[in-house]
Amino acid sequence: MKFFVDTAEIDQIRDLNDLGMIDGVTTNPSLIMKSGRDIKEVTKEICSIVDGPVSAETVALDAEGMIAEGRELAKIAENIAVKVPLTWDGLKACKTLTDEGRMVNVTLCFSANQALLAAKAGATFISPFIGRLDDLNMDGLELIADIRTIYDNYGFETNILAASIRSANHMSECAKIGADVATAPASVIKAMANHVLTDKGLEGFLKDWEKTGQKIL
C-alpha cells in the first residue's frame, strides 16, 4: 500500500519524504488555507520535493469551471493529480481531464455506487472518506472493502485512495483490505511506529544497560 501525506506543510512533507515514507501528497482548500500560502506557489514546491502524485483540488462547482481550473493546476508540474468532487459535474470533468491524459483524483466519495461511477469515468484515484463515515456511526472501512470487491470483479484500474484517516488502526485495516493508497496526516503516519510494549521494552533494556557501567562510544 502506498502512503500519501495529507498536508500542505512543507516541513512535514520533506521530513517524511527524506525517510522514504511517502509516495505522494494530497491537499485540499482547507489545508491550503492552513498553510497560509498561495495555492500555486505551495503546490509547485510540494511537487519539487515529491516524485509521486500531488493532488490539487478545483473549487468550481460546474464541469466547465472544474475543467478549466484542472488544466491550470496541471500546468504547475507533471505529477499533479487534479482533484474534483464526486458530483455529476465532477464526473464530467473527470472524463474530460482523463481523456486529455491527466491524473484525476475524485474526492468526497461516500458510497460504492459513487466509486463505481468514478471508475467508469476513468478516475485515476477514488477517495472514500473513512473518518467522516465513522463520525456518523457508519463503517468507513466496510466501504473500502466494498469498493475493492467491485473493482476486482470488473478489473477497474482506478486506485482506491483511502482518505479521512483518523488513526494508525485505520492504516493497517486499509492495508489488510487492499486499498491501493492511504492518505493521512503526518501525525497519524508517525503514530504507526508507536507501541506501549516497545516503550516498555526499551525502558527495561536501558535500565539493565546502565547497571553494566559500559559505553558504546
Side-chain angles (χ1 to χ4, degrees), residues 82-103:
V82 178
K83 204 172 180 184
V84 299
L86 214 161
T87 60
W88 200 249
D89 280 276
L91 293 171
K92 290 179 182 178
C94 173
K95 175 62 174 169
T96 297
L97 293 168
T98 298
D99 285 349
E100 293 175 354
R102 309 181 198 282
M103 290 189 290

Side-chain angles (χ1 to χ4, degrees), residues 5 33 41 53 57 80 103 108 115-116 122 127 159 176 187-188:
V5 62
M33 181 192 71
E41 176 189 277
E57 190 162 347
I80 286 289
M103 290 189 290
L108 292 170
L116 181 54
S127 292
N159 286 271
K176 287 189 282 186
S187 59
V188 171

Side-chain angles (χ1 to χ4, degrees), residues 49 58 105 120 130 136 147 175 184 187 200 206:
I49 297 169
T58 60
N105 178 358
K120 296 284 285 183
I130 299 174
L136 297 177
I147 297 171
S187 59
K200 186 175 181 180
L206 291 176

Side-chain angles (χ1 to χ4, degrees), residues 9 44 56 61 96 107 161 176 182 202:
E9 297 297 331
K44 184 176 182 178
L61 296 179
T96 297
T107 190
L161 199 172
K176 287 189 282 186
L202 183 58

Side-chain angles (χ1 to χ4, degrees), residues 68-84:
E69 290 178 355
R71 288 169 177 162
E72 185 66 22
L73 290 169
K75 293 177 183 177
I76 295 173
E78 291 185 358
N79 54 332
I80 286 289
V82 178
K83 204 172 180 184
V84 299

Side-chain angles (χ1 to χ4, degrees), residues 110-127:
F110 294 98
S111 77
N113 277 336
Q114 289 180 317
L116 181 54
L117 290 173
K120 296 284 285 183
T124 313
F125 301 100
I126 181 68
S127 292

Side-chain angles (χ1 to χ4, degrees), residues 6-9 12 26-39 42-43 46 55-59 83 107-108 129 132 164 185:
D6 195 35
T7 186
E9 297 297 331
Q12 293 179 357
T26 54
T27 69
N28 59 47
S30 298
L31 294 173
I32 295 295
M33 181 192 71
K34 289 179 183 178
S35 77
R37 297 179 59 187
D38 174 78
I39 181 173
V42 69
T43 303
I46 292 170
S55 289
E57 190 162 347
T58 60
V59 293
K83 204 172 180 184
T107 190
L108 292 170
F129 275 40
R132 294 195 189 186
S164 186

